[in-house]
Amino acid sequence: MEGIRKPQTGIFKKQKSKMKNKSNKLSKSLINNMKFQKVFSLLVIIGLQLSICFAGESQDFFQPKNMSLEMSVKPSVEQAVRWKTGTEVPKGVAQILIDNPSPDLKQNSKEIQAQSEVITMYDTTFVFHRVVFSDLKPATAYIYRVGDGTGKWSEWIQFKTASETSNPFSFLFFGDVQNGITTHYPRVLRQAMLTAPKVSFLLYAGDIGNSAYMSEFQDFFSVGGWIHKQKPLVAVPGNHEYRHIGAGEDDRELTQEWKYMFGIPNNAEGILNNRGCGYFDYQGVRFVMNNSRDLDDGEDTLVNVQMAWLDKVLDAPEAKFIVVLQHYPIYPMGYGREKKTKHKVLEDLYTAHGVDLVLTGHDHIYSRLAPSVKRFSKTVAPAYVLSMSGEKMYVPNFNDNVDRMALNTQFFQQVSIDGNALIFKAYDATGAYYDGFTIEKKNGKKRIVDNKPATPEFSELPQSRKAKYKEAQWKEITDKHKQYFLNRK
């Protein structure tokens, strides 16, 4: 029909295409804008939450370093806590009260000023803080926190005082940490606390670090976290707690940091002061910390004084049990290790005083020498345990006298005191029960009951040590190892 114009389809297509492109661009712009708004809104919310957090509790939070409870010589009525800070925190304070479920802790607490001291050593300066909680009630749960004196505080932390009577209790024992402080040791500590959460305190047999550097100690306390803040920590120095201070191999000193990190209890007087010797009584048991490194390598005067001190503090007729903690083993187990003269002297001294248990480290092998004694007797020798909790493992010297041994295995130990029985249990890093015995006492006599399981001994040689030996030496070790464990089956 004339007069009706046909649509110009090409033009309409172009216009439609242009409109579609504009629409797509607008849609993309809107979508991108919406995404930006969502992201922006999310960032605003996070920012507000963080600002609220920092403006509230977190702003008042105080994180001290190397914080731990001490073992008091009066554990039923006294407890001390120690920590360190940088010089920007020159003062410290603590609050304490009997533990209770109410959040009104601050309102009912007692505030105590810390003894704070600026310390400079080995080109490092820090402030050492210590608070002593005294006049406490025996067998009572308390809760405390420490602060910087300006309103910032740590978390609230519980502890329990010892009983004045010989009630049952238990503690954990760890051999050398030394290597793998932040990589291998943490699983052992965690498993130990899962296995025995109600222990009263923790014992360490020295060589906590490898070079006695502050950084290693800080790693150790960082790994311990709340545990050392809630359970008193007791340690003796190992040979790796001695720093090189000269060119010669023997130019060493017990690291000056020891007394600020681990040096409690420190009730050995005179030249033994601040040298890692001390003792405490806990619910009827006497614990003696002996610096065996000084006995082996110290000056004659120091050795004579230390032996006389040991003879004195081991004389504890009222104690149900006597436990000694030292670094060097009485019966060395490492390949190439020799039994030193003073080890024999200590063995005679411990036997004479009726010592029940000697806990040691140094040789990075698990061994227990405590032969079963069926009848009660007055002449039963002490039980000797050697253990380790870190990464580094040693090759054995194939001592046939041991009653249970393990190679290439990380351990922790739980020791329980219940009436007239001392119950020892050794667990591997997975929490599996590996070894045990019980020391029983009756009428001034004792016997040892062997409780080791029927599982075979862990006998795998640590391949990590192979590079330490020449090929011929390693073959000799391998041959001895094979024959040794064949004989033990």
Side-chain angles (χ1 to χ4, degrees):
M1 297 189 319
E2 293 187 15
I4 299 176
R5 300 175 63 181
K6 293 182 179 179
Q8 299 178 6
T9 54
I11 294 173
F12 282 134
K13 285 182 179 179
K14 288 180 181 180
Q15 288 178 340
K16 188 176 180 181
S17 177
K18 287 180 180 180
M19 290 177 67
K20 187 177 181 181
N21 289 338
K22 287 182 179 180
S23 176
N24 287 341
K25 287 180 180 179
L26 180 61
S27 298
K28 289 180 179 179
S29 177
L30 287 171
I31 291 170
N32 289 336
N33 189 46
M34 290 173 65
K35 286 182 177 179
F36 173 79
Q37 287 180 342
K38 286 183 179 180
V39 172
F40 181 78
S41 299
L42 183 60
L43 289 173
V44 169
I45 292 170
I46 293 173
L48 286 171
Q49 289 176 335
L50 288 173
S51 63
I52 290 170
C53 182
F54 285 123
E57 253 181 62
S58 291
Q59 189 179 25
D60 299 332
F61 186 67
F62 172 58
Q63 184 63 60
K65 293 181 180 179
N66 297 11
M67 184 176 170
S68 68
L69 291 183
E70 298 177 0
M71 174 54 72
S72 172
V73 293
K74 301 175 182 178
S76 62
V77 295
E78 184 178 273
Q79 179 63 70
V81 59
R82 50 173 56 197
W83 70 96
K84 58 169 285 195
T85 64
T87 53
E88 71 278 3
V89 184
K91 295 182 180 180
V93 67
Q95 293 176 337
I96 186 171
L97 69 158
I98 292 178
D99 195 15
N100 69 88
S102 169
D104 298 331
L105 300 174
K106 175 183 176 181
Q107 294 87 334
N108 299 310
S109 66
K110 177 183 178 181
E111 192 162 298
I112 304 170
Q113 294 298 314
Q115 301 167 336
S116 301
E117 180 183 3
V118 178
I119 307 296
T120 298
M121 60 177 64
Y122 307 125
D123 300 323
T124 300
T125 299
F126 62 91
V127 183
F128 175 69
H129 308 272
R130 182 172 184 261
V131 169
V132 179
F133 303 122
S134 56
D135 299 322
L136 304 178
K137 295 180 179 180
T140 303
Y142 284 86
I143 190 165
Y144 78 99
R145 66 177 180 175
V146 303
D148 69 347
T150 69
K152 294 182 179 180
W153 295 96
S154 71
E155 74 274 31
W156 287 99
I157 309 160
Q158 303 98 322
F159 71 84
K160 188 175 182 179
T161 53
S163 172
E164 288 185 318
T165 58
S166 300
N167 290 344
F169 72 96
S170 63
F171 62 91
L172 288 170
F173 163 63
F174 300 89
D176 300 25
V177 180
Q178 190 174 342
N179 302 90
I181 299 173
T182 59
T183 58
H184 290 69
Y185 162 68
R187 67 166 181 160
V188 178
L189 181 60
R190 285 194 295 265
Q191 187 61 59
M193 293 308 301
L194 288 171
T195 302
K198 294 187 178 181
V199 292
S200 297
F201 52 88
L202 286 68
L203 301 185
Y204 288 85
D207 279 8
I208 289 170
N210 191 51
S211 305
Y213 291 154
M214 179 67 81
S215 60
E216 292 178 332
F217 297 149
Q218 288 181 176
D219 284 343
F220 172 80
F221 282 104
S222 177
V223 166
W226 64 268
I227 298 169
H228 297 314
K229 300 176 185 178
Q230 189 166 330
K231 309 285 185 180
L233 161 66
V234 180
V236 292
N239 54 301
H240 283 270
E241 267 72 63
Y242 282 73
R243 277 181 177 251
H244 285 284
I245 56 172
E249 177 62 28
D250 295 330
D251 294 334
R252 296 174 178 239
E253 68 175 6
L254 176 60
T255 178
Q256 297 173 29
E257 296 156 353
W258 180 263
K259 69 177 181 179
Y260 300 107
M261 303 297 110
F262 310 101
I264 293 294
N266 179 40
N267 48 4
E269 301 175 352
I271 61 175
L272 295 181
N273 186 253
N274 287 322
R275 298 202 65 86
C277 291
Y279 73 96
F280 65 94
D281 296 318
Y282 197 97
Q283 294 180 194
V285 179
R286 165 127 328 162
F287 292 85
V288 177
M289 280 62 67
N290 174 35
N291 184 341
S292 55
R293 196 274 182 185
D294 273 356
L295 282 182
D296 280 324
D297 302 301
E299 300 292 335
D300 289 344
T301 301
L302 175 64
V303 171
N304 292 337
V305 170
Q306 190 167 332
M307 290 300 295
W309 174 81
L310 280 170
D311 191 39
K312 178 181 177 182
V313 298
L314 289 173
D315 185 15
E318 300 301 318
K320 279 192 172 184
F321 294 94
I322 301 175
V323 178
V324 173
L325 178 68
Q326 66 181 55
H327 182 62
Y328 289 152
I330 298 297
Y331 290 90
M333 286 297 300
Y335 187 79
R337 307 270 189 176
E338 295 180 357
K339 189 172 182 180
K340 299 183 179 181
T341 304
K342 294 188 180 67
H343 289 162
K344 176 60 180 174
V345 174
L346 283 176
E347 183 179 14
D348 293 342
L349 184 67
Y350 293 161
T351 301
H353 282 286
V355 170
D356 299 291
L357 177 63
V358 181
L359 301 171
T360 67
H362 190 58
D363 280 349
H364 298 230
I365 288 167
Y366 176 83
S367 72
R368 184 257 295 187
L369 200 156
S372 180
V373 179
K374 294 183 179 180
R375 294 184 178 182
F376 287 93
S377 172
K378 289 186 176 181
T379 58
V380 177
Y384 296 102
V385 173
L386 188 163
S387 188
M388 70 284 133
S389 57
E391 175 187 8
K392 185 179 179 183
M393 298 291 163
Y394 283 177
V395 168
N397 62 13
F398 309 107
N399 186 336
D400 284 318
N401 294 326
V402 295
D403 298 284
R404 185 75 158 162
M405 186 168 70
L407 308 182
N408 205 35
T409 310
Q410 292 176 266
F411 278 95
F412 67 89
Q413 291 74 210
Q414 179 187 10
V415 182
S416 302
I417 311 295
D418 190 352
N420 293 320
L422 182 154
I423 305 144
F424 177 93
K425 295 180 179 181
Y427 299 87
D428 70 25
T430 70
Y433 177 64
Y434 182 78
D435 188 27
F437 60 89
T438 301
I439 300 176
E440 298 177 347
K441 290 194 172 183
K442 184 173 68 175
N443 300 326
K445 300 178 181 180
K446 67 180 178 180
R447 69 174 182 176
I448 298 178
V449 179
D450 195 322
N451 300 326
K452 65 175 176 280
T455 53
E457 290 185 322
F458 296 157
S459 59
E460 178 187 356
L461 281 173
Q463 294 300 311
S464 58
R465 298 294 290 179
K466 186 175 180 179
K468 298 286 183 180
Y469 302 94
K470 295 179 180 179
E471 186 176 345
Q473 287 179 307
W474 187 252
K475 185 181 185 305
E476 179 186 352
I477 290 170
T478 304
D479 292 342
K480 285 184 177 180
H481 168 264
K482 183 178 180 180
Q483 188 59 48
Y484 178 79
F485 279 98
L486 281 174
N487 294 339
R488 288 182 68 81
K489 289 182 179 180

